[in-house]
PDB file of all heavy atoms in Angstrom:
ATOM      1  N   ALA A 143      89.546  94.900  77.090  1.00  0.00           N
ATOM      2  CA  ALA A 143      90.688  95.587  76.462  1.00  0.00           C
ATOM      3  C   ALA A 143      90.605  95.545  74.956  1.00  0.00           C
ATOM      4  O   ALA A 143      91.161  96.415  74.288  1.00  0.00           O
ATOM      5  CB  ALA A 143      91.993  94.936  76.930  1.00  0.00           C
ATOM      6  N   ASP A 144      89.925  94.555  74.395  1.00  0.00           N
ATOM      7  CA  ASP A 144      89.808  94.462  72.942  1.00  0.00           C
ATOM      8  C   ASP A 144      88.744  95.407  72.390  1.00  0.00           C
ATOM      9  O   ASP A 144      88.732  95.693  71.204  1.00  0.00           O
ATOM     10  CB  ASP A 144      89.504  93.033  72.523  1.00  0.00           C
ATOM     11  CG  ASP A 144      90.625  92.092  72.899  1.00  0.00           C
ATOM     12  OD1 ASP A 144      91.790  92.515  72.851  1.00  0.00           O
ATOM     13  OD2 ASP A 144      90.330  90.931  73.232  1.00  0.00           O
ATOM     14  N   LYS A 145      87.816  95.851  73.226  1.00  0.00           N
ATOM     15  CA  LYS A 145      86.734  96.709  72.766  1.00  0.00           C
ATOM     16  C   LYS A 145      86.553  97.891  73.720  1.00  0.00           C
ATOM     17  O   LYS A 145      85.562  97.963  74.435  1.00  0.00           O
ATOM     18  CB  LYS A 145      85.438  95.896  72.693  1.00  0.00           C
ATOM     19  CG  LYS A 145      85.520  94.746  71.723  1.00  0.00           C
ATOM     20  CD  LYS A 145      84.238  93.951  71.747  1.00  0.00           C
ATOM     21  CE  LYS A 145      84.412  92.737  70.844  1.00  0.00           C
ATOM     22  NZ  LYS A 145      83.254  91.872  70.864  1.00  0.00           N
ATOM     23  N   PRO A 146      87.519  98.823  73.734  1.00  0.00           N
ATOM     24  CA  PRO A 146      87.357  99.973  74.638  1.00  0.00           C
ATOM     25  C   PRO A 146      86.239 100.886  74.168  1.00  0.00           C
ATOM     26  O   PRO A 146      85.953 100.947  72.974  1.00  0.00           O
ATOM     27  CB  PRO A 146      88.701 100.676  74.525  1.00  0.00           C
ATOM     28  CG  PRO A 146      89.242 100.284  73.207  1.00  0.00           C
ATOM     29  CD  PRO A 146      88.732  98.899  72.949  1.00  0.00           C
ATOM     30  N   PRO A 147      85.596 101.584  75.100  1.00  0.00           N
ATOM     31  CA  PRO A 147      84.581 102.559  74.707  1.00  0.00           C
ATOM     32  C   PRO A 147      85.210 103.699  73.917  1.00  0.00           C
ATOM     33  O   PRO A 147      86.438 103.867  73.929  1.00  0.00           O
ATOM     34  CB  PRO A 147      83.997 103.033  76.026  1.00  0.00           C
ATOM     35  CG  PRO A 147      85.028 102.718  77.047  1.00  0.00           C
ATOM     36  CD  PRO A 147      85.807 101.542  76.531  1.00  0.00           C
ATOM     37  N   ASP A 148      84.402 104.470  73.262  1.00  0.00           N
ATOM     38  CA  ASP A 148      84.898 105.602  72.463  1.00  0.00           C
ATOM     39  C   ASP A 148      85.813 106.492  73.278  1.00  0.00           C
ATOM     40  O   ASP A 148      85.482 106.860  74.397  1.00  0.00           O
ATOM     41  CB  ASP A 148      83.734 106.431  71.927  1.00  0.00           C
ATOM     42  CG  ASP A 148      82.900 105.652  70.920  1.00  0.00           C
ATOM     43  OD1 ASP A 148      83.412 104.675  70.343  1.00  0.00           O
ATOM     44  OD2 ASP A 148      81.763 106.042  70.718  1.00  0.00           O
ATOM     45  N   GLY A 149      86.951 106.818  72.724  1.00  0.00           N
ATOM     46  CA  GLY A 149      87.870 107.742  73.358  1.00  0.00           C
ATOM     47  C   GLY A 149      88.778 107.121  74.404  1.00  0.00           C
ATOM     48  O   GLY A 149      89.653 107.785  74.922  1.00  0.00           O
ATOM     49  N   ALA A 150      88.581 105.855  74.739  1.00  0.00           N
ATOM     50  CA  ALA A 150      89.426 105.214  75.772  1.00  0.00           C
ATOM     51  C   ALA A 150      90.572 104.468  75.091  1.00  0.00           C
ATOM     52  O   ALA A 150      90.463 104.006  73.969  1.00  0.00           O
ATOM     53  CB  ALA A 150      88.590 104.264  76.607  1.00  0.00           C
ATOM     54  N   SER A 151      91.669 104.389  75.801  1.00  0.00           N
ATOM     55  CA  SER A 151      92.844 103.726  75.269  1.00  0.00           C
ATOM     56  C   SER A 151      92.959 102.310  75.819  1.00  0.00           C
ATOM     57  O   SER A 151      92.886 102.095  77.029  1.00  0.00           O
ATOM     58  CB  SER A 151      94.107 104.497  75.685  1.00  0.00           C
ATOM     59  OG  SER A 151      95.252 103.734  75.461  1.00  0.00           O
ATOM     60  N   PRO A 152      93.154 101.293  74.940  1.00  0.00           N
ATOM     61  CA  PRO A 152      93.319  99.945  75.455  1.00  0.00           C
ATOM     62  C   PRO A 152      94.559  99.777  76.307  1.00  0.00           C
ATOM     63  O   PRO A 152      94.653  98.864  77.102  1.00  0.00           O
ATOM     64  CB  PRO A 152      93.433  99.094  74.188  1.00  0.00           C
ATOM     65  CG  PRO A 152      93.552 100.015  73.040  1.00  0.00           C
ATOM     66  CD  PRO A 152      93.195 101.407  73.512  1.00  0.00           C
ATOM     67  N   ALA A 153      95.506 100.714  76.229  1.00  0.00           N
ATOM     68  CA  ALA A 153      96.727 100.635  77.055  1.00  0.00           C
ATOM     69  C   ALA A 153      96.412 100.796  78.529  1.00  0.00           C
ATOM     70  O   ALA A 153      97.211 100.438  79.382  1.00  0.00           O
ATOM     71  CB  ALA A 153      97.724 101.694  76.613  1.00  0.00           C
ATOM     72  N   HIS A 154      95.248 101.360  78.861  1.00  0.00           N
ATOM     73  CA  HIS A 154      94.891 101.564  80.264  1.00  0.00           C
ATOM     74  C   HIS A 154      94.063 100.409  80.827  1.00  0.00           C
ATOM     75  O   HIS A 154      93.553 100.507  81.910  1.00  0.00           O
ATOM     76  CB  HIS A 154      94.125 102.889  80.430  1.00  0.00           C
ATOM     77  CG  HIS A 154      94.995 104.063  80.216  1.00  0.00           C
ATOM     78  ND1 HIS A 154      94.926 104.839  79.106  1.00  0.00           N
ATOM     79  CD2 HIS A 154      95.993 104.579  80.960  1.00  0.00           C
ATOM     80  CE1 HIS A 154      95.818 105.795  79.161  1.00  0.00           C
ATOM     81  NE2 HIS A 154      96.482 105.661  80.277  1.00  0.00           N
ATOM     82  N   ALA A 155      93.918  99.352  80.078  1.00  0.00           N
ATOM     83  CA  ALA A 155      93.109  98.218  80.551  1.00  0.00           C
ATOM     84  C   ALA A 155      93.807  97.518  81.725  1.00  0.00           C
ATOM     85  O   ALA A 155      95.010  97.339  81.716  1.00  0.00           O
ATOM     86  CB  ALA A 155      92.900  97.238  79.417  1.00  0.00           C
ATOM     87  N   PRO A 156      93.056  97.117  82.737  1.00  0.00           N
ATOM     88  CA  PRO A 156      93.647  96.436  83.897  1.00  0.00           C
ATOM     89  C   PRO A 156      94.334  95.140  83.490  1.00  0.00           C
ATOM     90  O   PRO A 156      95.261  94.721  84.164  1.00  0.00           O
ATOM     91  CB  PRO A 156      92.447  96.154  84.809  1.00  0.00           C
ATOM     92  CG  PRO A 156      91.314  96.929  84.289  1.00  0.00           C
ATOM     93  CD  PRO A 156      91.633  97.345  82.884  1.00  0.00           C
ATOM     94  N   ALA A 157      93.907  94.534  82.412  1.00  0.00           N
ATOM     95  CA  ALA A 157      94.520  93.275  81.982  1.00  0.00           C
ATOM     96  C   ALA A 157      95.999  93.457  81.677  1.00  0.00           C
ATOM     97  O   ALA A 157      96.771  92.499  81.778  1.00  0.00           O
ATOM     98  CB  ALA A 157      93.795  92.750  80.739  1.00  0.00           C
ATOM     99  N   LYS A 158      96.427  94.650  81.365  1.00  0.00           N
ATOM    100  CA  LYS A 158      97.839  94.909  81.073  1.00  0.00           C
ATOM    101  C   LYS A 158      98.707  94.690  82.300  1.00  0.00           C
ATOM    102  O   LYS A 158      99.870  94.361  82.203  1.00  0.00           O
ATOM    103  CB  LYS A 158      98.038  96.320  80.539  1.00  0.00           C
ATOM    104  CG  LYS A 158      97.300  96.643  79.274  1.00  0.00           C
ATOM    105  CD  LYS A 158      97.964  96.004  78.085  1.00  0.00           C
ATOM    106  CE  LYS A 158      97.227  96.421  76.835  1.00  0.00           C
ATOM    107  NZ  LYS A 158      97.717  95.786  75.654  1.00  0.00           N
ATOM    108  N   MET A 159      98.178  94.945  83.499  1.00  0.00           N
ATOM    109  CA  MET A 159      98.925  94.803  84.739  1.00  0.00           C
ATOM    110  C   MET A 159      98.808  93.417  85.346  1.00  0.00           C
ATOM    111  O   MET A 159      99.609  93.032  86.171  1.00  0.00           O
ATOM    112  CB  MET A 159      98.452  95.841  85.756  1.00  0.00           C
ATOM    113  CG  MET A 159      98.804  97.259  85.415  1.00  0.00           C
ATOM    114  SD  MET A 159     100.576  97.525  85.267  1.00  0.00           S
ATOM    115  CE  MET A 159     101.107  97.267  86.924  1.00  0.00           C
ATOM    116  N   GLU A 160      97.810  92.644  84.962  1.00  0.00           N
ATOM    117  CA  GLU A 160      97.546  91.375  85.615  1.00  0.00           C
ATOM    118  C   GLU A 160      98.721  90.394  85.509  1.00  0.00           C
ATOM    119  O   GLU A 160      99.052  89.756  86.501  1.00  0.00           O
ATOM    120  CB  GLU A 160      96.265  90.743  85.075  1.00  0.00           C
ATOM    121  CG  GLU A 160      95.902  89.445  85.762  1.00  0.00           C
ATOM    122  CD  GLU A 160      95.855  89.533  87.296  1.00  0.00           C
ATOM    123  OE1 GLU A 160      95.472  90.579  87.834  1.00  0.00           O
ATOM    124  OE2 GLU A 160      96.240  88.542  87.939  1.00  0.00           O
TER     125      GLU A 160
END
Side-chain angles (χ1 to χ4, degrees):
D144 296 326
K145 299 177 185 177
D148 294 339
S151 166
H154 291 106
K158 299 285 183 184
M159 291 300 294
E160 183 52 35

